[in-house]
C-alpha cells in the first residue's frame, strides 16, 4: 500500500524534473510512510525513500515504515543537509505549503549548490483518491459518529448547556474507541445555530431552538464529519419550512454526486433551489469538502472550484441556511464517490427530530 503511494509520487517527481522531494507535511508524511510520530521528514528520490527522524522515534519509525530506510538525525537541519549531500542531489523539491521561510533559508545557506524548488500539492493530489483501506477506516469513523449522534439525542432537553452536550459527546466517542475528535464538536443552539462555526458555550437549550450538532472522530488516522440539526419542542411552520428546504437541497446534491460530475455545477444547483425560495444569500459557505487523514482536504466543493468528482473520493455534502438572530439549519453527510454515483457513509436519520 505505502509502496504504491510512493511509486505514484515518484512518477510525479520525475515528471517535474526533480532529483527528489522533501516531504515535510505531517499528514503527507504519514500517508506515504505510515509513520505517526510528531517529528521527521521524508526524502523520496528516483530510487530511494528515506524516513528521517530523531532518537525518540527511531524504533517507532522502523516498526511503522519497514518499506523505508530510517535515518536518525541530531537536528532536522543537519539531517537534511547530510542526506542531500550523500545522495548527490542537484534539484530538490520541497513542500512550500509545509516549509517555513526560516527553514528554507537555513537549507539554502547550508547547501548553496542545490536548486531548491517550491512545490505544491504533489502528495495532496494523490490523497484525493482513496484506496479501499482508507475507505474502510473512514467508514468505521462514520459509523462511530452515527453512534455518537444516537447517544447524544437523549441529552438534548431544555436547560442543558451547549458545552455539557459537547463534553458528553466527546467522552462517549472516546470511550467507544475514537482516537480523538476530528475537530472540536459544534453544538449551536437557538440564535447560535445561525453561526456556521459556533463554539459550544454557556447557553442552555430552550424550547423552540434549533440545535446544530456538527462533529466527527478519528479512527486509525482517518476522519469523519457529520451534521444534524434537531428541534427542541414543537417547530414553527417557518422552522419546518427552512428545515425541509435544506433537506431537499441536500438530497438533490447527494443525487448529483458521481464520477465525472463538476462540483461547481452541483453547488450551483443547490444555490438555485435556495434562490427559488428567496433565501440564496443565507447559504454563505461551500457545499462540502474532501475528508481523509485531515478533516478538510481536497477536493473543494464550491462554486469557484474546478474540481471534478472521481470514484474513490470521499466528500461531505453540507448545505445550510443561516438567519442571524433567528437560527440556522445544516445537514451534512459523508459520502464516497463510486463508479455509479455515491454511497452515503453517515446513516443518522434526517427527518426533523423533536426532542
Ligand atoms: Zn461538519
Ligand atoms: Zn464538513
Amino acid at each position: 500500500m505505502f509502496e504504491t503511494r510512493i511509486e505514484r509520487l515518484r512518477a510525479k517527481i520525475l515528471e517535474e524534473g526533480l532529483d527528489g522531494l522533501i516531504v515535510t507535511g505531517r499528514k503527507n508524511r504519514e500517508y506515504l510512510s505510515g509513520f505517526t510520530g510528531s517529528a521527521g521528514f521524508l526524502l523520496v528520490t528516483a530510487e530511494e525513500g528515506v524516513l528521517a527522524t530523531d532518537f525518540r522515534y527511531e524504533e517507532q519509525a522502523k516498526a511503522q515504515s519497514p518499506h523505508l530506510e530510517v535515518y536518525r538525525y541530531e537536528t532536522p537541519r543537519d539531517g537534511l543537509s547530510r542526506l542531500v549531500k550523500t545522495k548527490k542531489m542537484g534539484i530538490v523539491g520541497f513542500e512550500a505549503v509545509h516549509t517555513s521561510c526560516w527553514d528554507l533559508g537555513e537549507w539554502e545557506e547550508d547547501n548553496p549548490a542545490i536548486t531548491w524548488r517550491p512545490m505544491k500539492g504533489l502528495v495532496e493530489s494523490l490523497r484525493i483518491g482513496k484506496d479501499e483501506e482508507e475507505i474502510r477506516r473512514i467508514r468505521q469513523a462514520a459509523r462511530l459518529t452515527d453512534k455518537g449522534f444516537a447517544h447524544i439525542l437523549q441529552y438534548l432537553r431544555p436547560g442543558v448547556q451547549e458545552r455539557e452536550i459537547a463534553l458528553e459527546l466527546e467522552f462517549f466517542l472516546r470511550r467507544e474507541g475514537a482516537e480523538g475528535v476530528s475537530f472540536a464538536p459544534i453544538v449551536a443552539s437557538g440564535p447560535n445555530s445561525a453561526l456556521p462555526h459556533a463554539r459550544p458555550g454557556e447557553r442552555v437549550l430552550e424550547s423552540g431552538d434549533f440545535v446544530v450538532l456538527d462533529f466527527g472522530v478519528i479512527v486509525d488516522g482517518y476522519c469523519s464529519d457529520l451534521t444534524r440539526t434537531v428541534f427542541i419542542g414543537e417547530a414553527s411552520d417557518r422552522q419546518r419550512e427552512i428545515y425541509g428546504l435544506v433537506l431537499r437541497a441536500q438530497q438533490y446534491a447527494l443525487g448529483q454526486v458521481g464520477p465525472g460530475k463538476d462540483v461547481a455545477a452541483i453547488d450551483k444547483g443547490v444555490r438555485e433551489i435556495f434562490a427559488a425560495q428567496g433565501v440564496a444569500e443565507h447559504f454563505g459557505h461551500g457545499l462540502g469538502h474532501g475528508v481523509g487523514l485531515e478533516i478538510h482536504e481536497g477536493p473543494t466543493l464550491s462554486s469557484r472550484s474546478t474540481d471534478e468528482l472521481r470514484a474513490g473520493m470521499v466528500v461531505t455534502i453540507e448545505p445550510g441556511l443561516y438567519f442571524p438572530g433567528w437560527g440556522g439549519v445544516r445537514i451534512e453527510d459523508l459520502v464516497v464517490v463510486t463508479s455509479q454515483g455515491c454511497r452515503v457513509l453517515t446513516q443518522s436519520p434526517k427527518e426533523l427530530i423533536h426532542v
Side-chain angles (χ1 to χ4, degrees):
M1 176 175 82
F2 295 118
E3 282 95 335
T4 316
R5 295 176 187 173
I6 288 189
E7 275 313 315
R8 291 175 63 211
L9 175 64
R10 198 163 267 146
K12 286 178 179 279
I13 289 172
L14 296 177
E15 206 177 285
E16 297 287 344
L18 307 171
D19 293 328
L21 179 75
I22 306 280
V23 179
T24 42
R26 187 163 163 181
K27 292 295 169 186
N28 288 343
R29 186 192 69 201
E30 183 176 339
Y31 177 75
L32 297 166
S33 68
F35 174 59
T36 55
S38 68
F41 64 85
L42 211 65
L43 171 63
V44 180
T45 69
E47 269 107 40
E48 291 168 291
V50 183
L51 171 59
T53 187
D54 64 45
F55 172 78
R56 296 170 299 165
Y57 289 118
E58 195 177 3
E59 289 311 306
Q60 182 184 338
K62 283 177 182 162
Q64 290 183 319
S65 311
H67 60 296
L68 295 169
E69 173 192 337
V70 173
Y71 176 84
R72 190 176 100 192
Y73 56 64
E74 294 301 320
T75 67
R77 176 180 183 174
D78 179 59
L80 192 139
S81 243
R82 282 173 197 267
L83 276 173
V84 296
K85 279 191 188 97
T86 42
K87 308 285 179 205
K88 300 193 172 41
M89 306 182 77
I91 306 173
V92 181
F94 63 95
E95 297 190 294
V97 175
H98 307 290
T99 302
S100 71
C101 298
W102 187 263
D103 285 344
L104 177 62
E106 290 182 340
W107 301 348
E108 287 173 333
E109 198 182 311
D110 295 347
N111 310 276
I114 283 178
T115 305
W116 297 96
R117 192 161 293 162
M119 306 302 300
K120 190 185 175 197
L122 286 189
V123 186
E124 283 87 345
S125 66
L126 300 178
R127 282 171 47 191
I128 282 189
K130 270 67 180 174
D131 60 35
E132 271 178 39
E133 174 59 18
E134 293 181 290
I135 292 170
R136 191 187 66 79
R137 294 180 188 193
I138 296 169
R139 198 189 307 125
Q140 282 194 327
R143 280 200 191 123
L144 181 48
T145 310
D146 283 334
K147 258 175 108 170
F149 179 69
H151 172 80
I152 208 62
L153 280 181
Q154 59 190 309
Y155 286 82
L156 304 181
R157 59 177 176 271
V160 182
Q161 261 184 0
E162 289 174 351
R163 55 193 302 277
E164 284 175 51
I165 297 163
L167 260 176
E168 174 55 36
L169 186 56
E170 203 166 333
F171 266 122
F172 174 83
L173 296 167
R174 293 293 296 266
R175 210 185 289 124
E176 291 292 314
E179 281 162 39
V181 287
S182 47
F183 56 93
I186 294 171
V187 178
S189 65
N192 293 345
S193 60
L195 311 167
H197 274 189
R199 307 229 9 215
E202 311 286 308
R203 189 181 185 280
V204 296
L205 306 195
E206 285 171 23
S207 186
D209 281 355
F210 272 131
V211 184
V212 173
L213 299 150
D214 186 353
F215 62 100
V217 295
I218 305 172
V219 172
D220 288 335
Y222 283 79
C223 298
S224 64
D225 197 357
L226 168 83
T227 306
R228 288 293 183 266
T229 302
V230 300
F231 201 77
I232 309 294
E234 218 27 62
S236 70
D237 289 347
R238 179 63 175 162
Q239 283 169 322
R240 280 175 194 283
E241 192 188 331
I242 293 302
Y243 188 91
L245 187 54
V246 173
L247 182 57
R248 183 151 65 82
Q250 206 247 1
Q251 277 163 340
Y252 158 82
L254 288 174
Q256 295 298 306
V257 172
K261 292 294 184 73
D262 173 9
V263 300
I266 304 176
D267 183 278
K268 187 163 168 260
V270 167
R271 278 167 220 281
E272 279 167 4
I273 292 173
F274 290 151
Q277 306 300 319
V279 293
E281 74 274 23
H282 296 279
F283 176 34
H285 57 74
L287 182 62
H289 52 88
V291 173
L293 283 168
E294 287 175 283
I295 184 65
H296 290 119
E297 52 181 58
T300 301
L301 279 73
S302 77
S303 54
R304 290 175 304 278
S305 176
T306 53
D307 291 331
E308 205 176 74
L309 295 175
R310 292 195 316 265
M313 287 181 172
V314 174
V315 299
T316 67
I317 298 292
E318 52 179 304
L321 288 173
Y322 310 92
F323 301 87
W326 183 77
V329 172
R330 178 166 65 258
I331 303 172
E332 172 180 35
D333 279 313
L334 188 59
V335 311
V336 54
V337 183
T338 63
S339 57
Q340 310 293 327
C342 75
R343 199 165 67 238
V344 182
L345 301 175
T346 40
Q347 294 289 331
S348 293
K350 285 192 275 195
E351 70 277 10
L352 182 53
I353 296 175
H354 299 262
V355 290

